[in-house]
Amino acid sequence: MFTVSPTGAEAHGTVVYLHGGGWMNEAVSQHWKLVQQIAAEASVKVILPAYPLVQAGGTAETVVPIVSRISERVEGPLVLMGDSAGGTIAMSTSFLLKERGRPADLTVLIAPALDMRMQNPEMDEIQPLDPWLVKKGQLLLTEMWIGENGNDPILNPFLGNTRGAGKILVFSGTRDLLNPDTRIFVRNAITAGGDVDYYEQDGHLHVYPLLPTPEGKQARNAIVNAVRRTTETR
């Protein structure tokens, strides 16, 4: 595990950040830049677990309980955060913590992969617009990650009940293959009584909050502000 702490200020809470990369790649510079920004500007400690990747045997069934145990041990307010594949882990962990009676104070999902079954026909309409993700390849990775647990409401977070899971903040671009499932997830969450804020950026790509664009900068600032509000008021 890597820990990034603010310098010259006391940490008011902890963010557990789960990096994306299709469950098969390590964290990259964009992840570290965001983690550093959150630690410095929100005055929180950020823990970034180097979780086992799928080629090393990492699966939802093995990784999510480990991240949950890490999260249960932190002091002060807890924020779960993840992008893409990391968003899957963050939301699954959020559901597991809720089931155990200690929900996260805030869960931030950046272009999350939510339904491991990838059955939404709207994905085929988005595919020509997405220069980054390819459905066939994504489906192979999700199958490696989820195994036989595609209908599990914790490990396949699309099926989970967000009511009582704490505040959830979601970011998605409309040229993201994962956007159709994200829209449905948000709609279902609100209908179920979940506390959800949704930021959708028209014409933008997968994980746009990590990209060096004006809209990405606005999203990063929104994330920092949400973390600061959550940790300073708890």
Side-chain angles (χ1 to χ4, degrees):
M1 293 193 299
F2 298 92
T3 301
V4 179
S5 300
T7 55
E10 181 183 355
H12 298 297
T14 303
V15 175
V16 177
Y17 191 97
L18 292 313
H19 67 82
W23 306 286
M24 66 176 297
N25 294 305
E26 299 288 359
V28 296
S29 61
Q30 290 85 353
H31 296 124
W32 291 110
K33 289 176 182 177
L34 178 58
V35 162
Q36 291 171 344
Q37 180 181 356
I38 293 168
E41 296 182 11
S43 295
V44 292
K45 179 171 67 176
V46 184
I47 296 173
L48 195 152
Y51 57 87
L53 304 173
V54 290
Q55 64 269 30
T59 66
E61 193 171 9
T62 58
V63 172
V64 171
I66 294 172
V67 176
S68 298
R69 287 197 295 271
I70 294 169
S71 302
E72 287 172 329
R73 294 171 183 165
V74 306
E75 297 181 0
L78 170 66
V79 178
L80 294 170
M81 189 181 306
D83 66 280
S84 192
T88 313
I89 304 173
M91 197 66 243
S92 291
T93 302
S94 182
F95 284 140
L96 185 53
L97 292 179
K98 182 190 79 165
E99 186 178 83
R100 293 177 175 176
R102 193 209 164 173
D105 296 289
L106 173 67
T107 302
V108 181
L109 307 176
I110 302 170
L114 292 167
D115 192 350
M116 303 299 96
R117 303 167 302 177
M118 300 194 72
Q119 297 173 339
N120 191 336
E122 292 184 29
M123 285 184 165
D124 298 325
E125 300 175 16
I126 299 295
Q127 183 65 91
L129 305 176
D130 188 338
W132 196 335
L133 303 183
V134 178
K135 182 179 177 181
K136 184 177 180 180
Q138 293 301 306
L139 187 56
L140 288 173
L141 291 170
T142 58
E143 289 173 346
M144 293 174 68
W145 176 252
I146 199 68
E148 301 297 322
N149 299 298
N151 293 317
D152 188 303
I154 290 178
L155 301 182
N156 188 9
F158 187 79
L159 304 176
N161 185 351
T162 57
R163 187 177 180 86
K167 180 79 175 178
I168 301 173
L169 187 62
V170 186
F171 295 83
S172 181
T174 60
R175 292 179 63 194
D176 184 348
L177 185 70
L178 306 177
N179 177 256
D181 280 345
T182 301
R183 284 182 168 183
I184 295 173
F185 175 83
V186 169
R187 184 167 65 244
N188 291 345
I190 293 172
T191 301
D195 186 1
V196 183
D197 283 345
Y198 179 46
Y199 290 79
E200 182 175 273
Q201 195 64 48
D202 186 45
H204 278 256
L205 305 179
H206 185 57
V207 295
Y208 83 88
L210 272 65
L211 303 181
T213 63
E215 293 80 7
K217 182 178 180 180
Q218 290 173 2
R220 292 190 293 275
N221 290 338
I223 291 169
V224 168
N225 290 335
V227 172
R228 186 187 298 117
R229 286 194 303 268
T230 298
T231 55
E232 288 182 349
T233 57
R234 292 295 191 278

